[in-house]
Amino acid sequence: MKVSDFHYDLPDELIARYPLEQRSASRLLHLDGPTGTIDHRRFRDILDLLEPGDLLVFNNTRVIPARLFGQKETGGKLEILVERVLDQRELLAHIRSSKSPKPGQRILVEGEGAFRVVGRQDALFHLALDSGAESVLELLEAVGHMPLPPYVDRPDEGSDRERYQTVYAREAGAVAAPTAGLHFDETLMAELEERGIEQAFVTLHVGGGTFQPVRVDSVEEHHMHSEVVDVPEETVAAVARARARGGRVVAVGTTSVRSLESASVGGELVAFQGETDIFIYPGYRFQCVDVLITNFHLPESTLIMLVSAFAGYDGVMAAYRAAVAERYRFFSYGDAMFVTGEKPSAQAERAQQESER
């Protein structure tokens, strides 16, 4: 398939620059993958769409204030966007400046500390904390800015520290939020639990590469960036319980999908901890996930490709056109979709059809 197959036209005013006042007040487009049927709901309607016995799988990564402003000792201004925290005192980052800093140079950060450039790893800079805090995370919490996506195109505000974060975020390390989870508040999660809908967690630290454009013409030629993932044994057990009682595995967000499917590459879900660069696009056979809750994604992005793999290309693209026509709010702070996947037999037939495109 061509990357251009996943293009759709989006008016700029439909990009959500701010969240709604209430997390669960968003709209919800319900797409039934097997039939392509679309209906328009509110997010709290997941209480009706989910069934007792279903299992919700959330990504509990926590967004770190990963954007820093500083200068080289020579005075040149620069911006740092952390990609990955390696340990207590080292990290990998993108650096934007007129001239790239060289190994050994110090970078002063907003008067609160300094890093020393260790070297390069491809496009990323390897930095070590030189002064100002006991750890990288401590320095980021003190002076870092929330790394809002490029399309939000505004400076971060104090409220973003809370709203660009899920209410169940626990494991610090992401530089972008798992945005499908932003719609859940404590009240809604408690109601779901009371209705017999179990909850489990994975961790995938979302990297800045999630916003990088696909720079090839053919989908199959794209190589995904790598991210750290942890699918614990207790989540594997929760999936087994859901299967035993006839419940569905409902992934909250594409990062939860990628986590579960990465841990299922052998055909069976197992506990997994490590790196994943899994790329899911039409033709992929899902091993674990039955239902997907997700936000709307950028045109020609790997994320809209994943959703198309899950529910069928034609149905997903029709749903996006309907969302534009109905003036849904798009992207990280926008509205959501509830997507029912296809049965394995239908997946196999569709995979064959799409491989012949």
Side-chain angles (χ1 to χ4, degrees), residues 19 22 26 29 75 92 138 155 172 228 246 265 281 317 346 350:
Q22 295 183 327
S26 298
L29 186 149
L92 295 175
E138 181 183 314
V228 177
V265 291
Y281 56 89
M317 298 310 292
R350 178 174 50 77

Side-chain angles (χ1 to χ4, degrees), residues 4 12 36 67 127 163 181 203 213 235 243 254 264 282 301 312 331 334 344 353:
S4 58
D12 182 76
R67 179 167 281 116
L127 305 180
R163 294 307 303 274
T203 305
T235 296
R243 295 287 186 226
T254 57
S264 304
S301 65
F331 306 155
Q353 292 173 347

Side-chain angles (χ1 to χ4, degrees), residues 59-349:
N59 180 7
N60 67 359
T61 189
R62 185 171 184 83
V63 181
I64 57 178
R67 179 167 281 116
L68 296 164
F69 298 95
Q71 63 183 52
K72 293 177 276 189
E73 286 188 307
T74 54
K77 303 287 186 183
L78 51 75
E79 178 182 337
I80 298 171
L81 178 62
V82 177
E83 173 69 20
R84 182 180 299 188
V85 176
L86 300 174
D87 57 31
Q88 289 272 38
R89 301 189 65 82
E90 298 191 16
L91 56 85
L92 295 175
H94 304 271
I95 293 181
R96 182 185 298 173
S97 65
S98 57
K99 289 186 180 179
S100 297
K102 296 181 174 142
Q105 279 192 312
R106 292 180 83 237
I107 296 173
L108 310 177
V109 180
E110 300 193 69
E112 294 288 338
F115 290 102
R116 189 171 297 278
V117 180
V118 176
R120 295 283 295 267
Q121 289 191 20
D122 299 322
L124 299 174
F125 290 81
H126 183 181
L127 305 180
L129 188 62
D130 200 47
S131 66
E134 290 297 317
S135 70
V136 168
L137 290 179
E138 181 183 314
L139 181 64
L140 292 175
E141 288 296 333
V143 300
H145 298 262
M146 289 302 276
L148 298 179
Y151 47 74
V152 172
D153 60 21
R154 64 170 173 82
D156 67 309
E157 300 176 8
S159 61
D160 293 310
R161 286 248 179 167
E162 176 196 0
R163 294 307 303 274
Y164 194 58
Q165 196 83 268
T166 64
V167 297
Y168 49 80
R170 295 291 181 271
E171 304 296 330
V175 301
T179 56
L182 298 180
H183 304 282
F184 290 83
D185 54 33
E186 291 91 345
T187 301
L188 179 58
M189 293 186 73
E191 289 181 73
L192 289 164
E193 193 169 10
E194 288 170 4
R195 294 194 180 200
I197 298 161
E198 193 176 0
Q199 300 170 14
F201 298 89
V202 297
T203 305
L204 185 146
H205 292 317
V206 191
T210 192
F211 301 120
Q212 293 298 313
V214 179
R215 293 188 172 90
V216 293
D217 294 328
S218 175
V219 169
E220 294 80 4
E221 294 174 1
H222 177 67
H223 297 285
M224 286 287 286
H225 58 286
S226 182
E227 295 167 312
V228 177
V229 64
D230 181 14
V231 179
E233 187 60 55
E234 52 263 38
T235 296
V236 176
V239 170
R241 289 193 299 271
R243 295 287 186 226
R245 62 181 176 252
R248 299 172 297 176
V249 176
V250 182
V252 179
T254 57
T255 58
S256 293
V257 173
R258 295 183 67 238
S259 299
L260 293 169
E261 295 296 318
S262 295
S264 304
V265 291
E268 180 181 355
L269 181 68
V270 296
F272 174 73
Q273 190 174 49
E275 302 268 342
T276 183
D277 61 357
I278 189 171
F279 180 22
I280 298 175
Y281 56 89
Y284 178 85
R285 297 283 298 278
F286 285 84
Q287 303 293 324
C288 188
V289 178
D290 302 305
V291 177
L292 169 61
I293 298 172
T294 184
N295 277 23
F296 293 94
H297 304 293
L298 274 72
E300 302 185 15
S301 65
T302 60
L303 302 182
I304 194 174
M305 295 173 194
L306 182 153
V307 181
S308 297
F310 186 73
Y313 171 82
D314 292 333
V316 169
M317 298 310 292
Y320 269 69
R321 291 191 294 271
V324 171
E326 294 292 327
R327 301 193 66 78
Y328 276 67
R329 302 168 73 250
F330 275 68
F331 306 155
S332 295
Y333 275 148
D335 295 317
M337 298 177 70
F338 185 99
V339 187
T340 307
E342 294 179 317
K343 294 180 179 179
S345 58
Q347 279 191 37
E349 181 179 348

